[in-house]
Amino acid sequence: MTKPAVYQVSDWSGSSGDRWASNQRRLDAMLEVFGEAAIAAADPRAGEHVLDIGCGAGASSFLLANRVGADGRVLGLDISPQLIERARELGEGAVDFALDDAATAELAVQAYDLLFSRFGVMFFADPAAAFTHMRAALKTGGRLAFVCWRGAAENDWVRLPMGAIRDILPPPPAPDPEASGPFSFGDAARVERLLVEAGFTGIAIAPFDAEIPFGEGPSREAAIDDAVQMAFEVGPLSRALADQDETVRARCASAVHAAFAARPGERSVMIDGAAWIVTARNPG
């Protein structure tokens, strides 16, 4: 098996993988509507073979398997051993999972009808090279479909907690907009440029907005508390507070609680999410 990039292995096989695995059910609920919209755009058909890139714990892989049926096949790839283990625990039927990096994995040439990803393509160190490599595994006329985040300022799972603490902690340095990370595909023009460079044609990039659940609980107050805990465990807030003392963390928790309390929802805090749904074809 080809080894993924070292910096991602150390992250996703360590603390990030642990946090995502422990929050798997809540995170999948948050991302569900985006995955369903991307699958609708991908239009998987009975009997097709699908590669699910950055499959996580397999939620999108299982939906794809339902669409391709018993005569189809889905292979889910991810670089997190914790998430692949969880996917195998949950999985059944026409889904295989492998611990590997789709950017460099040994993929059979022209083996797939569809390359799919639910928020799994924004972390490649060299995305043009990664898409070029993956396109070789796609049949002539085969399809690419993925969903990726738009800008951080458009997504409440970042905007709300980080905005809430701006008077408590200085903001972190602005990342390179093209550096590997969740918002590296926020610029649609960059996404199109990368796919053209990788040899794809028929590229379409459409905005998709949704109100999504963040956290959960039997009551509104419990849901808000759970949303705060989730923000502390996953995402930029967890990194911002990593080296802070308990006094600062408590002040931040109070501020983030107030920000989430301003949002609607009874059993989850309902927040705004903004993504791109991207489709393209392999001309051969």
Side-chain angles (χ1 to χ4, degrees), residues 2-281:
T2 305
K3 291 184 178 180
V6 173
Y7 81 96
Q8 290 199 354
V9 168
S10 64
D11 196 24
W12 288 102
S13 64
S15 58
S16 287
D18 290 338
R19 289 194 299 269
W20 274 75
S22 64
N23 286 283
Q24 169 260 319
R25 185 169 52 82
R26 292 183 294 181
L27 288 166
D28 279 338
M30 171 185 165
L31 302 178
E32 181 178 14
V33 67
F34 295 106
E36 291 175 347
I39 288 174
D43 190 25
R45 302 152 196 169
E48 289 191 323
H49 287 208
V50 183
L51 180 66
D52 190 6
I53 302 156
C55 66
S60 53
S61 304
F62 303 136
L63 291 175
L64 290 163
N66 288 338
R67 294 286 294 267
V68 302
D71 293 331
R73 204 70 201 170
V74 176
L75 172 62
L77 295 183
D78 203 280
I79 61 173
S80 169
Q82 299 95 319
L83 291 174
I84 287 294
E85 180 181 1
R86 181 66 175 147
R88 288 170 174 161
E89 290 172 356
L90 297 171
E92 60 183 35
V95 183
D96 297 313
F97 294 103
L99 179 66
D100 215 332
D101 184 351
T104 54
E106 294 181 7
L107 302 172
V109 175
Q110 294 200 346
Y112 297 96
D113 302 281
L114 172 64
L115 304 180
F116 179 85
S117 183
R118 188 193 74 174
F119 299 112
V121 295
M122 304 92 68
F123 301 94
F124 296 127
D126 186 343
F131 280 116
T132 301
H133 173 75
M134 293 185 294
R135 188 174 70 82
L138 195 57
K139 296 176 183 178
T140 299
R143 301 162 343 263
L144 168 71
F146 63 84
V147 58
C148 59
W149 296 117
R150 296 209 309 266
E154 300 176 86
N155 281 282
D156 281 350
W157 61 273
V158 174
R159 185 181 66 84
L160 287 179
M162 297 307 289
I165 67 167
R166 64 179 179 270
D167 294 330
I168 303 172
L169 290 176
D176 179 343
E178 296 193 359
S180 172
F183 301 107
S184 65
F185 281 11
D187 179 359
R190 180 184 186 234
V191 176
E192 182 172 14
R193 184 174 71 250
L194 290 170
L195 294 180
V196 168
E197 186 177 342
F200 286 95
T201 59
I203 301 163
I205 304 174
F208 183 81
D209 298 88
E211 194 175 56
I212 53 179
F214 196 80
E216 62 182 13
S219 66
R220 174 166 172 78
E221 188 59 31
I224 295 170
D225 288 342
D226 193 60
V228 174
Q229 180 180 345
M230 190 169 160
F232 267 62
E233 293 178 0
V234 179
L237 182 64
S238 65
R239 294 187 289 275
L241 297 178
D243 299 321
Q244 300 299 322
D245 62 34
E246 288 306 312
T247 300
V248 171
R249 292 175 67 87
R251 290 178 63 201
C252 290
S254 178
V256 173
H257 186 283
F260 283 133
R263 294 292 305 176
E266 293 302 321
R267 301 299 178 89
S268 289
V269 176
M270 302 305 295
I271 63 173
D272 293 330
W276 298 118
I277 293 180
V278 181
T279 55
R281 286 191 174 271

